[in-house]
Amino acid sequence: MRKQKYRKIKKVAVVGAGTMGSQIAAHIANVGIPCELLDILPAELTPEERTHNLTLDHPAVRNRIAQTALDRMKSATTRSPFYLTDTAQLIRVGNLSDNADWLADADWIIEAVVENLDVKKQVHGLIHQHRKPGTLVSSNTSGISIRAISEGLSENYQECFLGTHFFNPPRYMRLLEIIPTDKTQTELVEFISDFGETILGKGIVHCKDTPNFIANRIGVFSKMYAICLMLEAGYTIDEVDAITGPPMGRPRSGTFRLGDIVGIDVLVDVANNLYEAATDDEQREIFRVPDFILQMVERNWLGDKTGQGFYHKRPGKNGSEIWTLDYNTLEYAPRAQVQFSSLDAIKRISDPSERIKHLINSDDRAGQFAWKCLSNIMRYSAARIPEIVDDLVNIDNAMKWGYNWELGVFEIWDAIGVPESVERMKSEGHSIPLLVTNLLDAGHTTFYGKANSKATYFDLSSKKSHPIQNRSEAIILSDLKANGKVVTSNSDASLIDIGDGVACLEFHSKMNIIDHPIIELMVEALDEVDRNFEGLVIGNHADNFSVGANLVLMLERARRKNWEALDEKIRAFQNANMRLRFSPKPVVAAPAGMAFGGGCEIVLGADGVCAAAETYIGLVELRVGLIPGAGGTKEMAVRSSAHDYRETALAFPYLKRAFETIAYSKVSESGAHAKELGYLRDTDRVSINRAHHLHNAKQMVLSMLSNGYQQPQPREAFVLGEAGLARLKLDIHLMRRAEYISDHDVLIANKLAWILCGGDLSTPQFVSEQYLLDLEREVFLSLCGEEKTHQRIEYTLKTGKPLRN
């Protein structure tokens, strides 16, 4: 049969409007592709539908399942599936009885119905009737055989069919497992892998069609083995979660809290599926669900979805309390404080490699549990090659992208020492998988290495090291630094030559907090770029671009009334950001994750921005009793006056928008949302795949150069003076009367309004950027002298939350 040539996907249809199906549709819409969302007809009316005298034949009733899913996503107040709520307009809801003909117009059909083989086969039979030949079809399943789903359908259907396992929630979880069958066209696998990576922003892992593929095979084994160890050695649920969270390089949810989040019934279903399907697995009995968990399912203790699971939130004397299940009695008791000397010792170790190594070499019960758990997971994972995948890189990526582990299984093994750990395993009587013995027999001591300055991994089939394809930018940056491409550096930042005449200024302080070393290197970097480079990218591959300035040092100086030092610091930061603004070479900021306060002000100072899709940027200084003092207030004033209106009534809405953005400490929920808030301009870009982020920022620099980059010139801001200030003060007064804000909020808001309106000006007029910077610095320093501001800073440093005093 002639090979199908796959082209641009212009429309997608998702069949199944449950949590996964609807959120996959939302993410398809996030990248600008129209999507049909279809489900079955409701079997009965809801009470509300009966009240309105609707029947099962009414269109609103017939589309209710998909429409309800869409409405639920649109109204989400946290972790919205959409980058922007308006994106929901790209989704059209319908049902399979009335709208199955829509499938004929789709370029990609994604089935995401319940995890039941018979139901999936029935749905694919329907899709087969309506799709046009050559249309891509995939199943979103966490573990059902892909070949079994399409069995009995036409040859063309099976050639165009594969598994695409998105992880929940699809917008936020990077992993997309691609599972072809032996009949899937190679061209389709290549096409959908490229589409997933470049258009949907996913990290692609290629799996074999084996039970639960890669991430859930290893991840569920890890959970179930931790439970087995707990029962065997008498650990408590609180103890296991304390050990299997950050100390082992995993999320804070650990083992049991994660079970409550995902759903205990889901964990049971996946474990049962593995027990039934993985009949040749040498550790199959690990997947047998313990009796106490089965009893929990019988009692409908399924976790967060039913209000209780391994943990139970209940009223207490000082608000709600979290109680923990005693698995012996199936009764809850207040959470016990977990005390292990090894966990206390590693709390301040930020490097996961060092943290895990220290833990597994500790002699206390936490160290013993971690070693037993990790050593078996490592052996189990190595034994799965080549059963579930041909190389270890895919296993490591699956665990990092799908389970948010800081390090993959084999990266952990390298970190703790392969030869030493193998000897320890042998001394405990464990057999060593073939991959590991081949590695050591070949004279290697690590799974990962370097050859010709390139990252490599050990391959089981060839027994040699192979280059890692599609290396992450984090690895590339690390390689550049290791190969002498660091131009200059200090304790908190480095300037790296990333090629093609472009340098990258990388922050690496704790949480990329901005202090003197970063400001100092910003200036030094700009001098170096002026002399020897064509442009600059400011970015990094930490979780957050920067959470802002050093509040600890700021509070210390304010308490000591060291105004000269504070003035010097804020003036230096303002000047550094203005150097970014007026650089003769293009400067592109590449924020990702949190870019708060001073981090946001650095972004605002750059002449171009390439933001990651998941960028949460905001001027949040008012939360700690301050105003943006390093150019943020000035920049928002300038941008709010970038219009042709010179009458107060017409210009005021723009001023008010800038005021509210700062006063309410608004933070974007995505890179796209940052444009709506004014932190990004229309000319700025959003990069969908974090792994390509710095590359895209570099390309933006090169594009600016090729388009004839001109050094920016000083701008003026049109400020409204007395008239604008009076209107803002009235709004502030009304907010206070309604008791929405405190007296200290009023003080800060009035000072912010005073800057945005140009200070003590009686009439609207143009003012320079430096004029606004001087006002900004004056107000910032005055607020540093307020005791209530000190209280806010101190409270935030202790709790991570704002104080309204």
Side-chain angles (χ1 to χ4, degrees):
M1 180 174 286
R2 183 176 61 86
K3 297 289 186 182
Q4 172 75 30
K5 185 175 182 180
Y6 298 99
R7 294 183 175 87
K8 184 176 180 180
I9 291 176
K10 298 179 180 178
K11 182 179 286 188
V12 174
V14 176
V15 180
T19 300
M20 280 304 297
S22 59
Q23 293 205 34
I24 290 170
H27 195 58
I28 297 291
N30 280 335
V31 298
I33 298 175
C35 188
E36 321 283 16
L37 181 60
L38 304 169
D39 211 299
I40 60 174
L41 295 174
E44 58 184 10
L45 296 171
T46 65
E48 184 179 3
E49 289 166 344
R50 291 192 185 95
T51 300
H52 290 87
N53 295 319
L54 300 181
T55 68
L56 288 172
D57 292 329
H58 193 282
V61 176
R62 295 175 75 83
N63 293 339
R64 185 225 302 155
I65 295 176
Q67 186 63 54
T68 299
L70 180 59
D71 292 342
R72 183 173 57 248
M73 293 192 296
K74 288 165 63 177
S75 62
T77 56
T78 58
R79 289 178 70 80
S80 170
F82 295 110
Y83 292 150
L84 294 170
T85 305
D86 289 349
T87 304
Q89 297 173 7
L90 289 172
I91 297 177
R92 180 169 63 159
V93 299
N95 65 79
L96 288 171
S97 296
D98 301 331
N99 310 117
D101 57 320
W102 292 358
L103 298 173
D105 297 326
D107 302 301
W108 179 16
I109 301 169
I110 305 171
E111 167 269 304
V113 301
V114 64
E115 288 286 279
N116 179 290
L117 178 58
D118 291 336
V119 174
K120 286 182 179 291
K121 288 180 72 69
Q122 182 180 354
V123 169
H124 282 279
L126 179 66
I127 294 172
H128 185 267
Q129 294 175 31
H130 293 277
R131 72 184 270 275
K132 58 180 180 285
T135 300
L136 317 184
V137 184
S138 70
S139 175
N140 182 74
T141 173
S142 61
I144 294 176
S145 167
I146 303 303
R147 181 182 177 89
I149 292 172
S150 63
E151 201 169 28
L153 299 177
S154 70
E155 182 179 355
N156 176 264
Y157 196 96
Q158 294 187 57
E159 287 181 343
C160 298
F161 179 69
L162 76 170
T164 51
H165 182 205
F166 290 83
F167 271 62
N168 190 29
R171 169 185 162 181
Y172 299 95
M173 296 301 291
R174 187 177 171 193
L175 180 60
L176 174 58
E177 291 183 318
I178 302 291
I179 313 102
T181 71
D182 55 355
K183 295 186 177 181
T184 308
Q185 288 184 6
T186 302
E187 291 85 350
L188 168 58
V189 178
E190 294 172 353
F191 173 83
I192 208 67
S193 298
D194 181 69
F195 182 87
E197 182 176 2
T198 60
I199 305 300
L200 298 181
K202 295 299 175 186
I204 305 300
V205 166
H206 294 97
C207 313
K208 293 184 179 181
D209 190 8
T210 58
N212 292 89
F213 316 128
I214 297 177
N216 280 341
R217 181 73 173 270
I218 305 299
V220 174
F221 177 84
S222 172
K223 292 179 196 174
M224 298 303 292
Y225 186 64
I227 295 170
C228 288
L229 276 180
M230 176 187 74
L231 297 174
E232 178 184 296
Y235 289 80
T236 67
I237 284 175
D238 284 323
E239 287 175 333
V240 172
D241 270 0
I243 299 166
T244 59
M248 288 176 62
R250 301 178 190 176
R252 295 186 183 277
S253 50
T255 298
F256 293 100
R257 179 71 190 105
L258 179 60
D260 277 356
I261 294 169
V262 172
I264 296 168
D265 54 334
V266 175
L267 173 63
V268 170
D269 286 345
V270 176
N272 284 340
N273 182 67
L274 278 164
Y275 186 80
E276 295 299 326
T279 53
D280 295 329
D281 192 312
E282 74 281 2
Q283 297 200 56
R284 180 188 180 211
E285 286 302 312
I286 296 297
F287 296 112
R288 189 186 290 275
V289 180
D291 287 341
F292 86 93
I293 296 181
L294 295 176
Q295 291 181 55
M296 291 174 68
V297 174
E298 288 177 6
R299 298 183 185 197
N300 204 37
W301 295 358
L302 307 181
D304 289 358
K305 69 177 78 174
T306 60
Q308 67 187 107
F310 298 116
Y311 295 100
H312 186 200
K313 183 183 288 188
R314 55 177 63 187
K317 293 180 180 179
N318 300 311
S320 61
E321 297 177 348
I322 304 295
W323 286 32
T324 309
L325 183 72
D326 180 334
Y327 54 82
N328 292 307
T329 64
L330 289 185
E331 294 180 352
Y332 293 93
R335 293 187 73 174
Q337 188 69 31
V338 176
Q339 292 289 343
F340 289 120
S341 60
S342 61
L343 300 189
D344 292 335
I346 62 176
K347 278 182 179 177
R348 297 188 180 277
I349 302 178
S350 58
D351 181 354
S353 299
E354 290 300 316
R355 192 187 322 132
I356 296 169
K357 187 174 183 178
H358 190 288
L359 176 62
I360 60 105
N361 287 312
S362 300
D363 293 329
D364 66 358
R365 277 167 52 82
Q368 294 167 17
F369 186 95
W371 165 249
K372 288 181 180 179
C373 202
L374 272 177
S375 65
N376 198 22
I377 292 167
M378 291 187 292
R379 294 193 305 276
Y380 184 80
S381 299
R384 303 281 72 75
I385 300 173
E387 177 199 343
I388 65 174
V389 69
D390 288 326
D391 65 84
L392 58 89
V393 177
N394 274 297
I395 290 179
D396 276 358
N397 286 340
M399 300 318 297
K400 290 187 291 184
W401 299 341
Y403 275 75
N404 287 326
W405 289 11
E406 292 183 79
L407 298 174
V409 176
F410 298 95
E411 290 172 332
I412 293 173
W413 211 333
D414 278 355
I416 67 174
V418 179
E420 305 95 309
S421 60
V422 166
E423 286 305 312
R424 185 174 175 181
M425 292 173 191
K426 286 180 177 179
S427 70
E428 294 170 350
H430 301 298
S431 60
I432 307 302
L434 182 63
L435 169 67
V436 187
T437 57
N438 282 346
L439 173 89
L440 297 175
D441 289 346
H444 296 273
T445 57
T446 59
F447 294 102
Y448 292 97
K450 287 185 180 176
N452 300 320
S453 300
K454 292 185 177 180
T456 61
Y457 72 95
F458 186 78
D459 177 64
L460 176 62
S461 59
S462 66
K463 301 181 184 180
K464 295 180 180 178
S465 291
H466 287 227
I468 297 176
Q469 303 299 320
N470 300 319
R471 296 181 304 151
S472 74
E473 287 185 337
I475 293 176
I476 293 171
L477 273 181
S478 176
D479 286 351
L480 288 170
K481 287 189 280 189
N483 292 320
K485 295 298 183 179
V486 176
V487 180
T488 183
S489 66
N490 61 29
S491 60
D492 290 1
S494 299
L495 184 69
I496 306 163
D497 182 351
I498 57 174
D500 298 317
V502 180
C504 177
L505 177 59
E506 178 195 39
F507 305 155
H508 43 70
S509 59
K510 183 177 181 180
M511 297 188 75
N512 291 330
I513 289 173
I514 300 163
D515 210 339
H516 179 69
I518 282 181
I519 296 171
E520 186 179 62
L521 203 69
M522 284 172 63
V523 175
E524 188 177 346
L526 288 165
D527 290 338
E528 182 67 32
V529 168
D530 284 351
R531 292 190 298 266
N532 299 313
F533 290 88
E534 298 302 317
L536 176 68
V537 169
I538 305 176
N540 54 70
H541 268 280
D543 290 339
N544 299 305
F545 178 78
S546 170
V547 297
N550 188 338
L551 288 176
V552 174
L553 186 59
M554 197 176 299
L555 178 61
E556 179 185 317
R557 288 174 174 172
R559 284 252 161 93
R560 292 180 179 179
K561 299 184 179 180
N562 191 345
W563 310 125
E564 185 176 344
L566 278 169
D567 180 70
E568 181 182 346
K569 179 184 171 93
I570 195 63
R571 192 186 297 268
F573 198 1
Q574 285 183 338
N575 290 340
N577 284 333
M578 289 299 279
R579 281 286 309 274
L580 293 180
R581 173 85 188 96
F582 295 120
S583 170
K585 307 288 179 69
V587 176
V588 171
M594 297 179 198
F596 289 169
C600 177
E601 289 175 297
I602 289 174
V603 174
L604 293 174
D607 202 39
V609 179
C610 180
E614 298 302 335
T615 295
Y616 317 117
I617 184 170
L619 296 169
V620 297
E621 287 85 349
L622 267 79
R623 294 181 184 178
V624 292
L626 298 168
I627 55 97
T633 307
K634 175 271 300 180
E635 188 63 25
M636 296 303 281
V638 172
R639 293 186 184 191
S640 71
S641 68
H643 51 72
D644 296 328
Y645 302 122
R646 297 297 170 253
E647 298 83 11
T648 298
L650 296 176
F652 183 75
Y654 297 91
L655 166 65
K656 184 176 181 180
R657 179 190 177 202
F659 171 80
E660 290 180 344
T661 298
I662 302 173
Y664 297 156
S665 297
K666 291 184 178 180
V667 174
S668 71
E669 296 177 4
S670 65
H673 187 218
K675 290 192 175 187
E676 286 196 347
L677 294 179
Y679 295 130
L680 269 60
R681 297 150 294 201
D682 289 341
T683 53
D684 293 328
R685 301 178 187 176
V686 176
S687 176
I688 186 71
N689 193 322
R690 183 76 195 275
H692 302 169
H693 186 202
L694 292 185
H695 170 78
N696 292 340
K698 174 183 169 181
Q699 294 305 309
M700 188 173 175
V701 169
L702 297 175
S703 176
M704 293 165 77
L705 287 166
S706 66
N707 289 330
Y709 182 76
Q710 297 293 316
Q711 181 178 5
Q713 298 302 305
R715 302 163 298 169
E716 289 187 321
F718 183 73
V719 295
L720 297 184
E722 193 176 84
L725 183 58
R727 294 184 65 169
L728 286 179
K729 281 189 171 182
L730 175 60
D731 289 344
I732 295 166
H733 172 71
L734 294 174
M735 290 283 285
R736 181 67 187 100
R737 280 189 62 182
E739 298 186 349
Y740 291 130
I741 58 176
S742 68
D743 288 339
H744 194 51
D745 291 324
V746 171
L747 172 71
I748 304 165
N750 281 334
K751 287 177 177 285
L752 171 64
W754 182 75
I755 302 170
L756 292 172
C757 293
D760 297 323
L761 299 179
S762 58
T763 59
Q765 57 190 276
F766 285 96
V767 296
S768 69
E769 291 183 75
Q770 189 58 53
Y771 174 85
L772 289 171
L773 285 172
D774 292 340
L775 296 181
E776 188 183 84
R777 195 172 63 257
E778 176 186 337
V779 167
F780 186 91
L781 290 170
S782 73
L783 289 170
C784 284
E786 295 287 338
E787 178 58 31
K788 289 189 175 181
T789 289
H790 299 173
Q791 293 168 3
R792 289 191 178 192
I793 295 174
E794 189 171 35
Y795 185 84
T796 298
L797 288 171
K798 287 181 178 178
T799 68
K801 300 175 182 178
L803 172 68
R804 287 297 182 196
N805 57 348

